[in-house]
């Protein structure tokens, strides 16, 4: 390979099959990484908007029953916070239908239902993070493996040469280093996205936990003062 053929494509095509396999794995990891990033960006933006919209409605003065009916009629369009609220209200009403009037039992059942819903929502919101974390942590080592293998393969080919110059060594080393570059190309976006998404998801979780506490406090006041239909 002469200096004019030292393009990335030529280096990839002239690499050993092991290095090419490593590169293929890294390309697949990079594609999966960007697909996950784009999906998570859209998901978190939609969640943020839906949660803010529901929270605005919740504190606007609408009754709990009215909010519950709206949530039941628009299940597919609901955000996580609204589904958590609906789970709590559903359990609350089931307990009331069973003529359970003890405030502690009602509150405990409602909170447990909301906590279970909260966990399901967080599992869905966090989906894909483990993939980004894995790509971010493993890709550099996969690329390094390809580089080490490529260097070993290159030097093995030099064994029978009487005279070794930079011109003969450079192509083989360059082929091997492409694997490391591709590993970093896959890892850097994955690590950056993982950290950013983790921060955003932590904020969503905190907001939803705060809502659970606030809603529980409202129910507690209602149980001590007036029937549910007159709440808020």
């Amino acid at each position: 390979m002469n200096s004019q053929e030292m393009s990335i494509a030529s280096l990839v095509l002239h690499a050993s099959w092991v290095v090419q396999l490593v590169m293929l794995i890294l390309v697949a990891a990079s594609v999966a990484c960007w697909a996950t990033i784009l999906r998570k960006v859209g998901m978190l933006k939609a969640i943020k908007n839906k949660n803010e919209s529901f929270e605005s409605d919740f504190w606007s003065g609408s009754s709990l029953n009215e909010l519950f009916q709206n949530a039941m009629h628009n299940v597919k369009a609901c955000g996580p916070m609204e589904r958590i609220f609906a789970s709590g209200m559903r359990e609350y009403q089931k307990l009331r239908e069973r003529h359970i009037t003890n405030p502690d039992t009602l509150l405990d059942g409602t909170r447990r239902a909301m906590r279970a819903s909260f966990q399901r929502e967080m599992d869905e919101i966090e989906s894909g993070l483990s993939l980004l974390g894995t790509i971010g942590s493993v890709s550099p080592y996969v690329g390094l493996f390809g580089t080490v293998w490529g260097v070993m393969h290159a030097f093995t080919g030099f064994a029978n040469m009487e005279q070794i110059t930079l011109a003969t060594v450079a192509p083989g080393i360059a082929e091997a280093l492409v694997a490391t570059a591709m590993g970093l190309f896959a890892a850097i976006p994955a690590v950056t996205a993982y950290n950013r998404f983790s921060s955003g998801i932590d904020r969503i979780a905190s907001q939803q936990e705060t809502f659970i506490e606030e809603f529980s406090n409202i129910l507690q006041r209602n149980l001590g003062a007036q029937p549910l239909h007159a709440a808020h």
Side-chain angles (χ1 to χ4, degrees):
M1 187 184 298
N2 57 46
S3 59
Q4 293 180 343
E5 295 174 326
M6 292 277 288
S7 66
I8 298 297
S10 296
L11 292 173
V12 172
L13 292 174
H14 287 85
S16 68
W17 71 268
V18 174
V19 177
Q20 289 179 338
L21 178 61
V22 167
M23 292 177 181
L24 182 62
I25 292 171
L26 291 173
V27 168
S30 183
V31 170
C33 169
W34 282 104
T36 302
I37 288 172
L38 294 175
R39 182 176 66 85
K40 295 299 290 183
V41 167
M43 174 192 288
L44 294 180
K45 183 177 180 180
I47 288 172
K48 181 176 181 291
N49 291 338
K50 289 178 179 179
N51 280 355
E52 288 179 353
S53 176
F54 172 72
E55 200 165 19
S56 176
D57 292 339
F58 184 82
W59 295 110
S60 67
S62 300
S63 71
L64 296 180
N65 281 333
E66 182 181 346
L67 291 170
F68 180 56
Q69 292 302 319
N70 289 337
M72 290 295 95
H73 291 154
N74 301 284
V75 176
K76 293 183 179 180
C78 288
M81 188 178 291
E82 191 168 3
R83 285 192 290 267
I84 291 170
F85 163 78
S87 296
M89 283 293 294
R90 189 183 303 110
E91 182 65 19
Y92 182 91
Q93 291 189 351
K94 285 181 180 178
L95 293 174
R96 291 296 293 263
E97 289 170 1
R98 291 164 55 187
H99 305 292
I100 295 175
T101 57
N102 184 280
D104 292 336
T105 303
L106 290 169
L107 284 173
D108 184 59
T110 302
R111 285 177 62 86
R112 280 190 283 107
M114 287 193 291
R115 281 289 171 186
S117 178
F118 168 81
Q119 192 57 57
R120 287 193 299 271
E121 296 296 336
M122 293 309 302
D123 288 344
E124 176 64 23
I125 293 171
E126 291 172 352
S127 64
L129 274 189
S130 59
L131 177 62
L132 291 177
T134 300
I135 292 173
S137 59
V138 173
S139 291
Y141 296 103
V142 174
L144 182 60
F145 168 77
T147 296
V148 171
W149 186 277
V151 171
M152 290 171 57
H153 183 266
F155 277 101
T156 301
F158 302 148
N160 297 325
M161 292 184 180
E162 294 182 359
Q163 185 177 6
I164 300 176
T165 64
L166 182 60
T168 57
V169 173
I173 302 301
E175 291 168 7
L177 290 175
V178 171
T180 295
M182 293 181 70
L184 294 175
F185 181 78
I188 292 173
V191 172
T192 303
Y194 179 89
N195 291 334
R196 181 165 183 177
F197 290 152
S198 294
S199 177
I201 289 172
D202 285 344
R203 286 195 296 271
I204 290 172
S206 177
Q207 290 169 351
Q208 292 180 165
E209 287 183 320
T210 300
F211 172 77
I212 290 174
E213 294 303 318
E214 290 173 338
F215 181 40
S216 297
N217 289 337
I218 289 172
L219 287 180
Q220 187 172 24
R221 289 198 300 270
N222 291 338
L223 289 170
Q226 52 192 350
L228 178 63
H229 63 268
H232 181 95

